[in-house]
Amino acid sequence: MFAKEVYVRRRQTLLKKMREAGQNGLVLFVGNAEAPAQYKDNCYKWRQDSSWLYYFGLDEPLMAAVLDIDSGAETLFADDVDIDDIIWMGPQPSVRSKADAVGLEHTAPYGGVENAIALARKSGRPVHFLPPSRYYNTLKLAQLVPGGAPSEPLIKAVVSMRLIKEDIEIQAIDAACALGYEMHSVARDAIKIGIIEQEIVGKMEAVSLAKGWGVSFPTILTQHGETLHNHGHAATIEPGKLMVIDAGVESNEHYASDFTRTYPTIGRFTQKQREIYQIVCDCNNLAFSLTKPGITYREVHLAVARKMLEGLSALDLVKGDLDEMVAKGIAGLFQPHGLGHNMGLDVHDMEDLGENLVGYDPDQTRAKQLGLGSLRMARCLKPGHVITDEPGIYFIPALIEKFKKEGLGFDFVNYAKLEDYYDFGGIRLEDDVLVTETGARRLGPQRLPISPDDVEAAMAAAR
Ligand code: GLY
Ligand code: MN
């Protein structure tokens, strides 16, 4: 948790933004509750709501808060533990002391939030709340504000704050990236022909648990990288394959990291693998070199698409005018996802608040094209944005066949040659990047080895 003043300042800024947007009434936050996995006392691992963490810092279940836009009054709704709780959980700090720790003046029992909201609604005051990310919060909000809808002014105010990371957050993300670096190094060193993928997952996730909260999303570790989010880990590691490892650590402060590297399972790339790998590596480097305030990440995505098509053209996998191919979305056949996303308290930061409100400026519309349409962060870059740079090339036989069947891209795509790549798999290379005043900085202690030579050298050193 940060110092009390951080949370006080953030809440004051939020209310000021709401007033400036011409809003009045109450802002209601509902923190998460424990979520039973099989039965009430056997729950999924506890994780607080990220916007709650941002404004209140209190990392415990069953809390709500009401902020009065008009008077500035703030109330925390939570219950003190009773003897039954103490038997199972041990002694706990009082609600009063928790409220003090984050500078909240008033406290009331958790159930009191119902009355507070009902009274406000009765007198016609608006109640603003964020889109809920969990079923419990959905139900609770439906009960508290029947017929209500999430408040766009509130979403916009929250997004405007959480998008620009404060210095203390950048330090926290750097620390999460240091853990991510360590986890990925352990994973790379553990790759061995004949073992089950799960063995590597166990070793790498041990780092996330020993030094942080755990992983920031379910680990992707697969020799079928062409399946973008492949969460199965049951396969035996075979020679000649490419292994995509896309994984991140969530720190104890709940900030995320998210790196991807792709390794040749035998420690050396084949010529064919190296050619495609180099294109992805060049795309990653190009994106970083273009990242600076004033450019939109949509422009960076499109520049990367062009670079990718240039590389694929040199291999005779596509042909034609590069700009025309970019405009027609041909790159989406090879990279059917966006270049990157925001990252912070969530690995895809604030996606629960709505991808377009988070990732798109008001004057931007989301494309429908394959690839570009999946771009989660398109905004004009500003200092303090933390984003991922994650180009990839994937050979997805079903997608290629679909394009072919539907007559798409016939002027540009060498479908005959692509058949040689049906068993290639996929490659993705991802770094986490901070937009600075003058350009960009990669987050973490150092960059994970990424050039083909450096990857081979790092793998050789572990063998
Ligand atoms: N690293 C997983 C993702 O960005 O979707
Ligand atoms: Mn990512």
Side-chain angles (χ1 to χ4, degrees), residues 246 258 341 347-348 388 390 430:
D246 180 350
D258 180 10
H341 50 85
V347 65
H348 287 188
T388 63
E390 50 177 311
E430 177 176 26

Side-chain angles (χ1 to χ4, degrees), residues 19-90:
R19 282 182 212 118
E20 284 168 1
Q23 302 302 316
N24 63 359
L26 304 181
V27 177
L28 164 66
F29 284 93
V30 176
N32 282 347
E34 294 276 17
Q38 292 105 329
Y39 48 88
K40 185 170 100 31
D41 287 330
N42 194 357
C43 293
Y44 289 108
K45 186 174 174 181
W46 164 248
R47 173 58 156 82
Q48 182 58 284
D49 176 80
S50 294
S51 288
W52 177 277
L53 282 175
Y54 186 83
Y55 289 105
F56 301 96
L58 300 170
D59 198 1
E60 291 166 51
L62 287 184
M63 292 182 158
V66 170
L67 312 180
D68 191 317
I69 301 172
D70 309 305
S71 71
E74 303 179 323
T75 308
L76 171 67
F77 295 89
D79 291 329
D80 278 312
V81 291
D82 60 19
I83 185 63
D84 283 341
D85 298 317
I86 292 172
I87 292 169
W88 293 97
M89 302 156 62

